Amino acid sequence: MFTSKFVYSFEIEQCDGHTLITAQQWPWAVLQVVPATPATFDAVVAQCKEREGFVATHGTDRTFCIVQISSGDQGGRYPDRHIDIFGQETARKYLDAVQDQMAQAAVWYYTNCLVTDCCPVHAKKFYE
């Protein structure tokens, strides 16, 4: 386990039935929570890794994983979040930050949405 140099904040939303988590700091990673069960966890993670992207998991919970679906300006949607990559050093800084955000998002989602039931995306189930 490693300790991050930064603490990120996140927003969560439902979009077309998918739970999305957006980091509020550079590089503004947009992450998707992929549900699993303990029985299907390894297969779900393996399938997500076949996308050739990063996959984040919680250290003990086997009911979800997280994949990155976009970051930065999101194709011009947020021009103030444009990310310029100039060479390997900038690319490495970007990739390290995305991995860090994903790891923190896995812990954040587990703590705020699964353990404490304080997640606004899942709140409606408490009122039904």
Side-chain angles (χ1 to χ4, degrees), residues 33-112:
V33 177
V34 180
T37 66
T40 63
F41 180 78
D42 291 333
V44 168
V45 170
Q47 186 174 12
C48 289
K49 286 182 178 180
E50 286 180 11
R51 297 174 54 246
E52 297 185 13
F54 298 130
V55 178
T57 59
H58 185 271
T60 59
D61 186 90
R62 296 175 60 84
T63 61
F64 74 96
C65 66
I66 290 181
V67 296
Q68 178 196 18
I69 56 175
S70 71
S71 60
D73 64 8
Q74 299 178 36
R77 186 173 174 194
Y78 300 102
D80 58 319
R81 296 180 177 181
H82 181 74
I83 298 171
D84 290 314
I85 304 291
F86 299 111
Q88 290 186 351
E89 184 178 331
T90 310
R92 175 53 43 206
K93 181 180 175 185
Y94 166 77
L95 294 172
D96 288 346
V98 168
Q99 286 182 300
D100 196 26
Q101 285 183 345
M102 290 177 72
Q104 284 189 35
V107 173
W108 181 89
Y109 179 77
Y110 174 78
T111 303
N112 293 292

